[in-house]
Amino acid sequence: RKEVEQDPGPFNVPEGATVAFNCTYSNSASQSFFWYRQDCRKEPKLLMSVYSSGNEDGRFTAQLNRASQYISLLIRDSKLSDSATYLCVVNGRNEKLTFGTGTRLTIIP
Amino acid sequence: DAGVIQSPRHEVTEMGQEVTLRCKPISGHNSLFWYRQTMMRGLELLIYFNNNVPIDDSGMPEDRFSAKMPNASFSTLKIQPSEPRDSAVYFCASSSFAYEQYFGPGTRLTVT
């Protein structure tokens, strides 16, 4: 079983719609969780951290469910500029991060 | 700040040649990470350094790969000899505290 699993998509969503991705992780001892965003042929960039109580940053909401070992990302009122690959990231030992293979999102005009 | 700097941005080489990738982390960051990204395997951590010391190299695929960090502002990843299956994008990332990592633009390596 992979340490971090994501649906690769692609998700093709009309502009203005709401879209949600889930991600599952295998290590119950994981402490920190993140969503990174990667544009085509670019480097990954931190989108947001995921806190136990859930957190929101503008149109983006992240949730953590420790009991079921999954995290989610919700994007409301999607924009064309949201088209990217979204990487679910979980910490391992020390500073090691384990990345999912990503979910590709395309926002359609 | 200039961000993480990597060179070269693109490298095309023949099988059997030595390849050296370079990284300059963000000034003041004390951790440096080398990743490899392919379509099939996604983003994989190869090795990371803390205060210039290698902490975990368990992701280095085999002895053909080696990495050094002679000082706080420079690191290299070397592949010798290179093979076609090494073709990938290699990212360097740095961080000043646990977990929030800043990535460089990557080196796209093609081994023919």
Side-chain angles (χ1 to χ4, degrees):
Chain A
R1 182 184 174 189
K2 290 184 180 178
E3 291 186 60
V4 179
E5 294 205 60
Q6 293 183 252
D7 182 343
F11 284 61
N12 298 315
V13 175
E15 191 174 7
T18 296
V19 60
F21 322 127
N22 286 338
C23 156
T24 58
Y25 60 95
S26 61
N27 184 356
S28 58
S30 298
Q31 294 295 316
S32 302
F33 310 89
F34 310 88
W35 285 101
Y36 275 66
R37 169 193 169 130
Q38 186 172 22
D39 293 299
C40 187
R41 302 180 77 83
K42 297 285 189 180
E43 70 272 24
K45 293 184 178 179
L46 179 65
L47 177 67
M48 59 195 301
S49 302
V50 186
Y51 303 122
S52 297
S53 55
N55 49 298
E56 193 173 301
D57 183 0
R59 298 181 293 108
F60 297 82
T61 300
Q63 298 272 354
L64 169 64
N65 185 318
R66 285 189 183 274
S68 301
Q69 295 183 207
Y70 80 79
I71 68 175
S72 64
L73 178 67
L74 180 80
I75 306 174
R76 290 181 300 278
D77 186 25
S78 53
K79 313 291 185 188
L80 296 177
S81 57
D82 295 332
S83 296
T85 296
Y86 290 83
L87 302 168
C88 174
V89 186
V90 175
N91 89 301
R93 298 189 311 275
N94 301 317
E95 296 179 82
K96 287 181 66 170
L97 297 180
T98 300
F99 286 75
T101 51
T103 297
R104 186 188 300 179
L105 172 66
T106 301
I107 305 300
I108 304 166
Chain B
D1 200 326
V4 176
I5 298 172
Q6 290 188 247
S7 65
R9 295 291 305 276
H10 300 273
E11 177 80 27
V12 180
T13 190
E14 292 183 349
M15 183 173 62
Q17 296 299 305
E18 177 179 296
V19 174
T20 299
L21 311 181
R22 297 173 176 79
C23 176
K24 177 179 169 54
I26 293 173
S27 177
H29 282 190
N30 62 349
S31 293
L32 183 141
F33 306 80
W34 282 102
Y35 290 90
R36 176 172 68 177
Q37 187 173 39
T38 61
M39 289 293 293
M40 291 299 295
R41 300 172 68 90
L43 199 61
E44 303 174 283
L45 178 66
L46 300 177
I47 184 171
Y48 85 93
F49 297 83
N50 183 262
N51 294 322
N52 313 338
V53 176
I55 302 299
D56 188 335
D57 65 355
S58 60
M60 297 285 263
E62 49 199 271
D63 292 345
R64 297 184 298 107
F65 286 68
S66 62
K68 294 182 179 179
M69 191 165 187
N71 57 62
S73 59
F74 184 66
S75 177
T76 59
L77 178 68
K78 187 176 292 186
I79 308 172
Q80 166 63 22
S82 57
E83 297 182 2
R85 61 193 168 117
D86 302 330
S87 297
V89 180
Y90 291 80
F91 288 105
C92 175
S94 70
S95 70
S96 62
F97 57 91
Y99 314 136
E100 185 167 356
Q101 297 181 14
Y102 295 82
F103 283 74
T107 295
R108 187 170 298 272
L109 173 65
T110 302
V111 183
T112 60

